[in-house]
Amino acid sequence: MTQQDRAEQAGVLVLGRILSTLSEVIVPLVIVRVLDKVQVGILAEVLLIYTTVTLLLAAGFPATLLYYLPGRPAAERKAIALRVTTILAGLGALGGLLLLATGLLSVWTPQLFSFFASAVDTGQQSFVYLAGLALFPLADVPARILPNLCVVEGRARSAAWVGVVRGVGMTTAVLLPLAFSKNLWWVVGGLSGFGLLLGLLTIRYFRLLYRGVEKTHSPTSIGELFRFGLPLGLTDMVANINSRIDRFLIIFFFTEATFAEYQVGAWQIPMITSIPYLALTVYAPQLSKLFKSGKGEDAITIWRDTTTKIALLVIPITMVFVVAAEELIELLFTADYLRAADIFRLYAIVTLGRVTAYGTVLVCAGRPGYLPRAGLVALVWNVGISVPLVLILGFVGPAVGTVLAFIPTVIGYCYYISKASGVPLGRIYPFVGYMKVLLLGLVAASGAVAFKVSVTLPAAIKLGGEAMILLLTFGLIGTALGMITRSDWRFLVDWMRLKAVWRG
């Protein structure tokens, strides 16, 4: 596969991710207009707990496919993928039991949950609804192998469409019940029903993917998969607790209505935050082969170059939201949620630095054991900073802590990537290239800020003006300086025209 092919596959995955984020984009926009803040907070808490539990239970097993499948015969790939799917199905069943037990305990022994400030206000309502989601992880967890499996099998378009189906299904499962009733039990029931359909889709696609491939025994044992996957699972556990610690602090210290406001602010631009991970997923098979061949320096070079290219896309778009936080919150979530603008801006600042996927590099290097260590460093810094700040600064404290803790987190991951690759720490992160792009973004943002403070216009018009000024300035200066090349523009145009999706 050529470099252009990989770039096109990355573009396909990113586009698929954009289309598949309907539930992350549309659902919050609708529910803030349909439900009151307490109900919004309850639903947000339920979905937060669900996603946290299921991400932890997935235990890094989908990522094992990126390491064990490349270079093997089709029959062995099928056997390994089936074994991983079976493991994930068992973990999904465990997740369903945990959700059911938590929901029932919140009814039978509500005193167990009384230390949550939000639970005191609403009588543990959030936790009760978890029982209604018990069926969802049975299929949702094993279905998470599909994107990585499709990428390894060279079917990025299929991976994109699987994501689209999931996004449309999640959106429908939440919004269709709300069209008939504001009772949240209908919503959680709709999600569980969609989970069963997702399971049928997974089975069907798996059969189509390996149709005609002979059966054979998996060359990778369950024990080997667990030894490789559990460190990744521990990493996911630490990383997900780390990324959600601020919201759990808000649940602990504040009411449901306040959590609704914070959750609106913590709503990240899903398609932007996914770009680094999807791009590195496409490059993962090549990185794995280079590391296995002892060419760690070459693998890091590709990673560094990819990171700089990703920054050229992530930074200008994210900078728009740093500047236009108030306009975006008012436009998308109504003026009732303007308190969330500061939280949104702080999250956008963190997104400026999320231009690569560090964990993917360590997995490709065959050193997943380093992931929990790096994640633990990040968690310790985040908790150590965020807990005092929520007591000192209140509502904005956890978000400020998230920003401050990001710097030592990056340093920690780069340290372990250096150990895994044998490349000196100083040559790991493309600091100079990244800072050039960031500086360009700041220069472009200055014009947008000047426009923001000098005019009084409706939020939509103001947001459009700020975005146009910033993106045009970034593109023109970046091109003039040679930071953005003709091939970069050509690929962007092809991607926006869906050329990469429909080609061939």
Side-chain angles (χ1 to χ4, degrees):
M1 185 184 297
T2 67
Q3 191 80 353
Q4 179 67 19
D5 291 335
R6 292 189 178 89
E8 289 186 355
Q9 286 210 15
V12 170
L13 289 180
V14 170
L15 177 63
R17 176 57 179 166
I18 291 174
L19 296 175
S20 71
T21 53
L22 289 173
S23 61
E24 299 174 46
V25 175
I26 296 176
V27 169
L29 308 187
V30 175
I31 65 173
V32 297
R33 290 167 170 81
V34 176
L35 305 175
D36 60 43
K37 281 188 179 180
V38 172
Q39 287 180 303
V40 171
I42 290 172
L43 182 57
E45 287 184 7
V46 169
L47 295 178
L48 173 67
I49 293 169
Y50 172 81
T51 54
T52 302
V53 169
T54 53
L55 282 170
L56 301 185
L57 286 171
F61 283 103
T64 61
L65 300 180
L66 299 175
Y67 184 76
Y68 283 107
L69 264 59
R72 292 183 182 272
E76 292 186 2
R77 297 199 305 272
K78 176 183 178 180
I80 295 172
L82 181 61
R83 177 157 287 179
V84 172
T85 304
T86 303
I87 292 172
L88 287 173
L91 293 171
L94 175 60
L97 291 174
L98 289 174
L99 294 172
L100 180 63
T102 302
L104 295 177
L105 283 174
S106 70
V107 176
W108 298 336
T109 56
Q111 62 272 17
L112 292 176
F113 302 87
S114 61
F115 53 85
F116 287 97
S118 58
V120 173
D121 249 16
T122 59
Q124 296 80 43
Q125 290 184 53
S126 300
F127 305 101
V128 172
Y129 288 107
L130 291 173
L133 286 175
L135 293 177
F136 194 17
L138 298 180
D140 183 36
V141 173
R144 298 183 186 195
I145 71 160
L146 289 180
N148 286 351
L149 183 60
C150 291
V151 168
V152 172
E153 296 295 345
R155 301 193 179 189
R157 295 176 184 82
S158 297
W161 285 112
V162 166
V164 172
V165 170
R166 189 179 190 279
V168 172
M170 288 279 289
T171 303
T172 305
V174 173
L175 298 186
L176 186 60
L178 287 178
F180 297 98
S181 171
K182 294 183 181 180
N183 189 324
L184 297 182
W185 282 110
W186 286 93
V187 176
V188 296
L191 286 169
S192 283
F194 169 66
L196 297 179
L197 295 177
L198 190 62
L200 295 176
L201 172 66
T202 304
I203 295 171
R204 173 65 175 166
Y205 191 79
F206 191 95
R207 289 178 175 176
L208 289 175
L209 191 63
Y210 292 111
R211 182 168 48 191
V213 176
E214 62 182 13
K215 293 183 179 180
T216 188
H217 293 292
S218 171
T220 306
S221 67
I222 293 177
E224 187 176 354
L225 288 171
F226 268 92
R227 285 191 295 273
F228 192 89
L230 283 181
L232 297 181
L234 180 58
T235 301
D236 286 343
M237 181 182 299
V238 174
N240 282 290
I241 292 174
N242 186 40
S243 66
R244 291 167 170 78
I245 190 67
D246 59 332
R247 277 164 279 189
F248 281 110
L249 287 173
I250 296 296
I251 293 175
F252 188 89
F253 285 105
F254 297 95
T255 64
E256 301 279 4
T258 301
F259 180 74
E261 293 175 329
Y262 191 93
Q263 182 70 4
V264 164
W267 178 82
Q268 299 178 73
I269 313 124
M271 62 288 294
I272 301 303
T273 56
S274 299
I275 288 173
Y277 301 95
L278 295 172
L280 262 295
T281 297
V282 170
Y283 284 85
Q286 182 188 19
L287 296 180
S288 294
K289 291 178 181 178
L290 288 172
F291 278 119
K292 289 176 182 178
S293 302
K295 299 177 180 178
E297 184 87 39
D298 293 342
I300 294 300
T301 298
I302 292 174
W303 175 64
R304 285 167 56 91
D305 293 343
T306 304
T307 298
T308 303
K309 289 295 185 183
I310 293 171
L312 285 171
L313 182 60
V314 170
I315 286 178
I317 298 176
T318 304
M319 196 67 77
V320 171
F321 299 110
V322 173
V323 173
E326 288 80 9
E327 290 77 26
L328 184 129
I329 293 296
E330 181 180 350
L331 181 64
L332 297 184
F333 298 103
T334 77
D336 290 339
Y337 285 86
L338 272 175
R339 188 187 180 199
D342 287 337
I343 306 300
F344 182 80
R345 178 173 287 111
L346 289 165
Y347 262 85
I349 290 172
V350 174
T351 303
L352 290 173
R354 289 178 174 165
V355 293
T356 192
Y358 304 96
T360 301
V361 181
L362 290 173
V363 172
C364 293
R367 303 303 295 267
Y370 285 152
L371 281 169
R373 302 183 197 179
L376 187 59
V377 171
L379 178 60
V380 169
W381 276 102
N382 200 359
V383 172
I385 295 172
S386 296
V387 172
L389 286 180
V390 73
L391 300 174
I392 297 170
L393 301 178
F395 179 66
V396 300
V400 174
T402 298
V403 174
L404 296 178
F406 184 73
I407 297 173
T409 296
V410 171
I411 295 172
Y413 273 105
C414 287
Y415 169 76
Y416 285 108
I417 289 174
S418 174
K419 292 188 66 175
S421 64
V423 178
L425 179 60
R427 299 212 308 270
I428 295 296
Y429 191 81
F431 182 77
V432 174
Y434 171 79
M435 290 305 297
K436 288 180 179 178
V437 180
L438 181 60
L439 180 59
L440 176 59
L442 292 172
V443 171
S446 61
V449 171
F451 173 80
K452 176 186 178 78
V453 300
S454 62
V455 301
T456 302
L457 294 169
I461 298 176
K462 203 170 182 180
L463 174 61
E466 291 160 359
M468 183 177 65
I469 292 170
L470 197 154
L471 295 177
L472 283 176
T473 304
F474 186 94
L476 291 174
I477 297 177
T479 302
L481 296 176
M483 295 173 62
I484 305 175
T485 65
R486 181 176 299 179
S487 62
D488 294 330
W489 284 115
R490 186 184 305 116
F491 172 72
L492 180 61
V493 171
D494 287 348
W495 179 71
M496 293 179 68
R497 292 167 54 195
L498 311 188
K499 188 174 179 181
V501 177
W502 304 116
R503 182 178 294 163

